[in-house]
Amino acid sequence: MDRRKFLAAGGVGVAATALATPAVAQDVREWKLVSAWPKNLPGPGVAAQTLADRITTLSGGRINVTLYAAGELVPGNGVFDAVSEGTAELYHAVPAYWGSKSKGILLFGSQPFGLSADEQLGWMVHGGGQALYDEMYGRFNVKPFLCGNSGPQWAGWFKNEISSLEDLKGLKFRTTGIASQMAAKLGMAAEAMSGPAMFQALQTGALDAGEFIGPWTDSALGYYQVAPYYYWPGVGEPSSAEECGVNAAAYADLPDDLKEVVAQACQGLYGQVLTEY
Amino acid sequence: MDRRKFLAAGGVGVAATALATPAVAQDVREWKLVSAWPKNLPGPGVAAQTLADRITTLSGGRINVTLYAAGELVPGNGVFDAVSEGTAELYHAVPAYWGSKSKGILLFGSQPFGLSADEQLGWMVHGGGQALYDEMYGRFNVKPFLCGNSGPQWAGWFKNEISSLEDLKGLKFRTTGIASQMAAKLGMAAEAMSGPAMFQALQTGALDAGEFIGPWTDSALGYYQVAPYYYWPGVGEPSSAEECGVNAAAYADLPDDLKEVVAQACQGLYGQVLTEY
């Protein structure tokens, strides 16, 4: 029914009362989505907001998801623990951030010289990947879904020109995941840190170089201002999957249709995020 | 609530009555999905079934979708008209089949030497493609969504060996979409027909050659038995989008959450189908 017609027909007082008591009010789950990203950061930050909005819409408001950007509720690197412990119901981040919990987790994000974005999703859907993913994250009370992929990432931003592999030796380099081990084998001191922290570290000289994602997202973080040499291609992350983790108890408590809502909100974003890069 | 506990606590008679009257029963939409494919044909036939099941699950049964394979309710090439006229609410097919309605429709399926599957989705999401798609199909009372992509298609199955472009001249060749015009420029007589019809036409000699999709789907249709020369790569369809069309009035009648259910069931399938090829 057209709301204005309803207001005209029923009187403002009656209408306001009726509208304030939606039929599904007793079933609404208020869920917190904590993300590892600055608010609306091109790429993953926008994906986190889209995920929150899409679950809310798809569920007809029965799951009302509120997004908290990195640092708003918990630090960006604390979102996995927050969902594992039930402080929040959902997070949006990348598997590459959780290698300290279990090295095997890193395989779900990216592999140097490894799978393309389509191949990574294929492994999940057809190759038994989702079962392994469920088993690994289940140990931490998290139900995981792939939810975005940035495609091939770039080699990174360097404060000084690189002319040979020798020039890499001794550099302090920001990267994550299995790519950190590759960087170490090339003689670099690899450090993981957030995107904004990488900018500050490059600016102060605490870092010599680093990679975050690629030009679209990275330009929003301003790396070009403090590290003018930018190299392509990167081989450390031929694709890099983003993920949504759901508190296992909160997920188990959902009826089947809302389980599918969460799954399909994530799966629909996988290819959509890839088209942005 | 656990159903067994409820039965034990409330008594079987009361429980059976309560369970027989689900709260949403009055809202159930019974929708027919007509597809252009044989039942469970690897690739598009499976995608059509998945689409039906996923909309049913995602909607919590509020849209109960029943799939009809090609020929069960209407012929495979009649699904667009069936949805346009409201005989069925949904179809699953490819834009390449509807060039006789408007040549512009063909661009939403594939373009010779054109867009990859990811690029085609990117055009929809970021490049204004969906608005053009809505406008074009809106003329026929259909709301369209991309819903699957087979990736690069093969050049095709030939009864005789091809050693030069000269050998193509005069061949009767099954293909669809803009690729038909390309085939005509190469001197072939291009004909559109269904996958099963292509098998019969090759077998009887009514066709000299043809392409349908690629080895995975095509092997289920048995072309290798009647046309032993199989050529790769194809350039006519660097990717080929599948689509779901929804009767515009049926779609407009949906609340926002069920509109999003249809949209996301389709979008989630886009990348999933691609991983199968």
Side-chain angles (χ1 to χ4, degrees):
Chain A
M1 182 175 188
D2 182 287
R3 184 168 171 238
R4 272 171 293 186
K5 282 189 195 156
F6 182 55
L7 287 170
V12 171
V14 174
T17 305
L19 290 169
T21 314
V24 296
Q26 68 276 24
D27 290 330
V28 171
R29 289 163 167 84
E30 295 289 345
W31 275 17
K32 293 183 278 292
L33 168 55
V34 289
S35 98
W37 323 110
K39 192 169 176 65
N40 287 324
L41 177 71
V46 171
Q49 184 67 62
T50 305
L51 177 64
D53 295 345
R54 207 165 268 178
I55 292 174
T56 302
T57 304
L58 269 173
S59 71
R62 288 179 295 151
I63 308 178
N64 186 40
V65 183
T66 303
L67 173 68
Y68 297 88
E72 286 188 347
L73 195 65
V74 295
N77 63 5
V79 299
F80 186 104
D81 290 341
V83 166
S84 175
E85 295 159 5
T87 307
E89 286 77 15
L90 302 158
Y91 73 75
H92 188 272
V94 288
Y97 288 178
W98 318 129
S100 65
K101 306 200 178 293
S102 176
K103 281 190 179 176
I105 285 180
L106 299 177
L107 291 168
F108 299 106
S110 63
Q111 313 90 24
F113 302 98
L115 302 177
S116 72
D118 293 333
E119 290 165 348
Q120 187 81 2
L121 181 62
W123 175 40
M124 288 291 124
V125 176
H126 307 290
Q130 186 67 47
L132 290 172
Y133 198 26
D134 287 345
E135 182 186 341
M136 176 71 80
Y137 281 59
R139 298 174 193 171
F140 302 96
N141 306 313
V142 173
K143 165 68 180 172
F145 297 96
L146 292 193
C147 182
N149 196 303
S150 64
Q153 298 208 352
W154 286 41
W157 304 86
F158 292 74
K159 291 181 80 76
N160 295 301
E161 191 173 357
I162 303 298
S163 303
S164 73
L165 286 178
E166 279 302 307
D167 293 342
L168 296 175
K169 294 211 167 124
L171 294 189
K172 287 169 283 181
F173 182 76
R174 186 273 178 194
T175 188
T176 58
I178 305 175
S180 298
Q181 297 170 45
M182 197 181 73
K185 283 186 190 292
L186 288 167
M188 294 191 273
E191 284 188 60
M193 62 183 74
S194 74
M198 171 174 148
F199 177 86
Q200 291 186 327
L202 286 169
Q203 192 173 38
T204 63
L207 277 181
D208 302 302
E211 65 81 24
F212 186 58
I213 301 182
W216 180 52
T217 303
D218 290 12
S219 60
L221 291 164
Y223 302 133
Y224 60 91
Q225 299 171 49
V226 290
Y229 296 93
Y230 192 33
Y231 292 100
W232 164 269
V235 295
E237 296 167 275
S239 81
S240 181
E242 299 167 9
E243 69 182 358
C244 169
V246 191
N247 176 269
Y251 182 76
D253 185 51
L254 295 177
D256 286 349
D257 61 328
L258 295 184
K259 283 188 172 124
E260 190 77 359
V261 157
V262 174
Q264 292 308 317
C266 292
Q267 188 163 321
L269 264 173
Y270 190 82
Q272 180 172 327
V273 169
L274 183 61
T275 64
E276 296 175 344
Y277 286 93
Chain B
M1 181 174 191
D2 182 287
R3 184 170 169 233
R4 272 171 295 187
K5 281 188 193 156
F6 181 57
L7 287 171
V12 171
V14 173
T17 305
L19 290 169
T21 313
V24 295
Q26 69 276 22
D27 289 332
V28 171
R29 289 164 168 83
E30 296 289 345
W31 275 17
K32 293 183 277 291
L33 168 56
V34 289
S35 98
W37 323 108
K39 192 171 176 64
N40 287 324
L41 178 71
V46 171
Q49 183 67 63
T50 306
L51 178 64
D53 295 344
R54 207 165 266 178
I55 292 174
T56 302
T57 304
L58 269 174
S59 70
R62 287 179 296 151
I63 307 178
N64 186 39
V65 183
T66 303
L67 173 68
Y68 297 87
E72 286 188 348
L73 195 66
V74 295
N77 63 5
V79 299
F80 185 104
D81 290 340
V83 167
S84 175
E85 294 157 7
T87 307
E89 286 78 14
L90 303 158
Y91 73 76
H92 188 271
V94 288
Y97 288 179
W98 318 128
S100 65
K101 308 205 176 287
S102 176
K103 281 190 179 175
I105 285 180
L106 300 177
L107 290 168
F108 299 107
S110 64
Q111 313 89 24
F113 302 99
L115 302 177
S116 72
D118 293 332
E119 289 165 348
Q120 187 81 2
L121 181 62
W123 175 40
M124 288 290 124
V125 176
H126 306 291
Q130 186 67 46
L132 290 173
Y133 198 26
D134 287 345
E135 182 186 341
M136 177 71 81
Y137 282 58
R139 297 175 195 171
F140 302 95
N141 305 315
V142 174
K143 165 68 181 172
F145 297 96
L146 292 192
C147 183
N149 196 303
S150 64
Q153 298 209 351
W154 286 41
W157 303 87
F158 291 75
K159 292 182 81 77
N160 296 303
E161 191 172 357
I162 302 297
S163 302
S164 72
L165 285 179
E166 279 302 307
D167 293 343
L168 296 175
K169 294 211 167 123
L171 294 189
K172 288 168 283 182
F173 183 75
R174 186 272 179 195
T175 189
T176 57
I178 304 176
S180 299
Q181 297 170 44
M182 197 180 73
K185 283 185 190 291
L186 289 167
M188 294 190 274
E191 284 188 59
M193 63 183 74
S194 75
M198 171 175 148
F199 176 85
Q200 291 186 328
L202 285 169
Q203 192 173 39
T204 63
L207 277 181
D208 302 302
E211 65 82 24
F212 186 57
I213 301 183
W216 179 52
T217 303
D218 289 11
S219 60
L221 290 163
Y223 302 134
Y224 60 91
Q225 299 171 50
V226 289
Y229 296 93
Y230 192 33
Y231 292 100
W232 162 270
V235 295
E237 296 168 275
S239 80
S240 182
E242 299 166 9
E243 70 182 356
C244 169
V246 191
N247 176 269
Y251 182 76
D253 185 52
L254 295 177
D256 287 348
D257 60 330
L258 294 184
K259 283 189 172 123
E260 190 77 359
V261 158
V262 174
Q264 292 306 316
C266 292
Q267 188 164 322
L269 264 173
Y270 191 82
Q272 180 172 326
V273 169
L274 183 62
T275 65
E276 296 174 345
Y277 285 93

